[in-house]
Coordinates of all heavy atoms in Angstrom, one line a residue:
G42 N -60.2 7.1 -96.0 CA -59.1 6.8 -95.2 C -59.3 7.1 -93.6 O -59.0 6.3 -92.8
R43 N -60.0 8.3 -93.5 CA -60.2 8.7 -92.2 C -61.4 7.9 -91.5 O -61.3 7.5 -90.4 CB -60.7 10.3 -92.2 CG -60.9 10.8 -90.8 CD -61.0 12.3 -90.8 NE -62.4 12.6 -91.5 CZ -62.9 13.8 -91.6 NH1 -62.4 14.8 -91.0 NH2 -64.1 13.9 -92.2
E44 N -62.3 7.5 -92.4 CA -63.4 6.7 -92.0 C -62.8 5.3 -91.6 O -63.3 4.7 -90.5 CB -64.5 6.6 -93.0 CG -65.7 5.7 -92.7 CD -66.5 6.1 -91.4 OE1 -66.4 7.3 -91.0 OE2 -67.2 5.4 -90.9
R45 N -62.1 4.7 -92.4 CA -61.3 3.5 -92.1 C -60.7 3.6 -90.7 O -60.7 2.6 -90.0 CB -60.5 3.0 -93.3 CG -61.2 2.5 -94.4 CD -60.2 1.7 -95.3 NE -59.2 2.5 -95.8 CZ -59.3 3.2 -96.9 NH1 -60.3 3.1 -97.6 NH2 -58.2 4.0 -97.3
S46 N -59.9 4.6 -90.7 CA -59.1 4.8 -89.3 C -59.9 4.9 -88.1 O -59.7 4.3 -87.1 CB -58.2 6.1 -89.4 OG -57.3 5.9 -90.5
R47 N -61.2 5.6 -88.3 CA -62.1 5.6 -87.2 C -62.7 4.2 -86.7 O -62.8 3.8 -85.6 CB -63.2 6.6 -87.5 CG -64.3 6.8 -86.5 CD -65.5 7.6 -86.9 NE -66.3 6.8 -87.8 CZ -67.1 5.9 -87.4 NH1 -67.3 5.6 -86.1 NH2 -67.8 5.2 -88.3
V48 N -63.1 3.5 -87.8 CA -63.7 2.2 -87.7 C -62.7 1.3 -87.1 O -63.0 0.5 -86.1 CB -64.2 1.6 -89.0 CG1 -64.6 0.1 -88.7 CG2 -65.4 2.5 -89.4
S49 N -61.4 1.4 -87.5 CA -60.4 0.5 -87.0 C -60.2 0.8 -85.5 O -59.9 -0.1 -84.8 CB -59.1 0.6 -87.9 OG -59.3 0.1 -89.2
A50 N -60.1 2.0 -85.2 CA -59.8 2.4 -83.7 C -60.9 1.9 -82.9 O -60.7 1.5 -81.9 CB -59.6 3.9 -83.7
Q51 N -62.2 2.1 -83.3 CA -63.4 1.7 -82.6 C -63.3 0.1 -82.4 O -63.5 -0.4 -81.2 CB -64.6 2.1 -83.2 CG -65.9 1.6 -82.5 CD -67.2 1.9 -83.3 OE1 -67.2 1.8 -84.5 NE2 -68.2 2.2 -82.6
Y52 N -62.9 -0.6 -83.4 CA -62.9 -2.1 -83.4 C -61.7 -2.5 -82.4 O -62.0 -3.4 -81.6 CB -62.6 -2.7 -84.7 CG -62.5 -4.3 -84.7 CD1 -63.7 -5.0 -84.8 CD2 -61.2 -4.8 -84.6 CE1 -63.6 -6.5 -84.7 CE2 -61.3 -6.2 -84.5 CZ -62.3 -7.0 -84.6 OH -62.2 -8.3 -84.5
E53 N -60.6 -1.8 -82.5 CA -59.6 -2.1 -81.6 C -60.0 -1.8 -80.1 O -59.6 -2.8 -79.3 CB -58.3 -1.4 -82.0 CG -57.0 -1.7 -81.2 CD -56.6 -3.2 -81.2 OE1 -57.0 -3.8 -82.3 OE2 -55.9 -3.6 -80.2
R54 N -60.6 -0.7 -79.8 CA -61.0 -0.4 -78.5 C -62.0 -1.5 -78.0 O -61.9 -2.0 -76.8 CB -61.7 0.9 -78.4 CG -62.3 1.2 -77.1 CD -62.9 2.7 -77.2 NE -64.1 2.6 -77.9 CZ -65.3 2.0 -77.5 NH1 -65.5 1.7 -76.3 NH2 -66.3 2.0 -78.2
L55 N -62.9 -2.0 -78.8 CA -63.8 -3.0 -78.4 C -63.2 -4.3 -78.3 O -63.6 -5.1 -77.4 CB -65.0 -3.2 -79.4 CG -66.0 -2.1 -79.5 CD1 -66.9 -2.3 -80.8 CD2 -66.7 -1.8 -78.3
R56 N -62.2 -4.6 -79.1 CA -61.5 -5.9 -79.0 C -60.8 -6.0 -77.7 O -60.7 -7.0 -76.9 CB -60.5 -6.0 -80.1 CG -59.9 -7.5 -80.2 CD -58.7 -7.5 -81.2 NE -57.6 -6.7 -80.6 CZ -56.7 -7.0 -79.8 NH1 -56.8 -8.2 -79.1 NH2 -55.8 -6.2 -79.5
R57 N -60.2 -4.9 -77.3 CA -59.4 -4.9 -75.8 C -60.5 -5.1 -74.8 O -60.1 -5.6 -73.8 CB -58.7 -3.5 -75.7 CG -57.6 -3.3 -76.6 CD -56.7 -2.3 -76.1 NE -57.3 -1.0 -76.1 CZ -57.3 -0.1 -77.1 NH1 -56.7 -0.4 -78.3 NH2 -58.0 1.1 -77.0
V58 N -61.7 -4.4 -74.9 CA -62.5 -4.7 -73.7 C -63.2 -5.9 -73.7 O -63.4 -6.6 -72.7 CB -63.6 -3.4 -73.9 CG1 -64.7 -3.6 -72.9 CG2 -62.9 -2.1 -73.7
A59 N -63.8 -6.5 -74.9 CA -64.6 -7.6 -75.1 C -64.1 -8.7 -75.9 O -64.9 -9.7 -76.1 CB -65.9 -7.1 -75.6
G60 N -62.8 -8.7 -76.3 CA -62.4 -9.8 -77.2 C -62.8 -9.8 -78.7 O -63.6 -8.7 -78.9
D61 N -62.5 -10.6 -79.4 CA -62.8 -10.5 -80.9 C -64.3 -11.0 -81.0 O -64.9 -11.9 -80.3 CB -62.0 -11.5 -81.6 CG -60.6 -11.0 -81.8 OD1 -60.5 -9.7 -82.2 OD2 -59.6 -11.6 -81.7
L62 N -65.0 -10.5 -82.0 CA -66.3 -10.9 -82.4 C -66.3 -11.3 -83.9 O -66.3 -10.4 -84.8 CB -67.2 -9.8 -82.2 CG -68.8 -10.0 -82.5 CD1 -69.2 -11.0 -81.4 CD2 -69.7 -8.8 -82.3
P63 N -66.1 -12.5 -84.2 CA -65.9 -12.9 -85.7 C -67.2 -12.6 -86.4 O -68.2 -13.0 -86.0 CB -65.6 -14.4 -85.7 CG -66.2 -14.9 -84.3 CD -66.0 -13.7 -83.3

Side-chain angles (χ1 to χ4, degrees):
R43 187 175 64 171
E44 178 65 14
R45 282 197 301 270
S46 297
R47 183 190 67 79
V48 171
S49 297
Q51 181 186 34
Y52 180 85
E53 182 60 26
R54 179 181 64 82
L55 289 173
R56 189 191 65 78
R57 289 196 302 267
V58 173
D61 287 317
L62 185 64

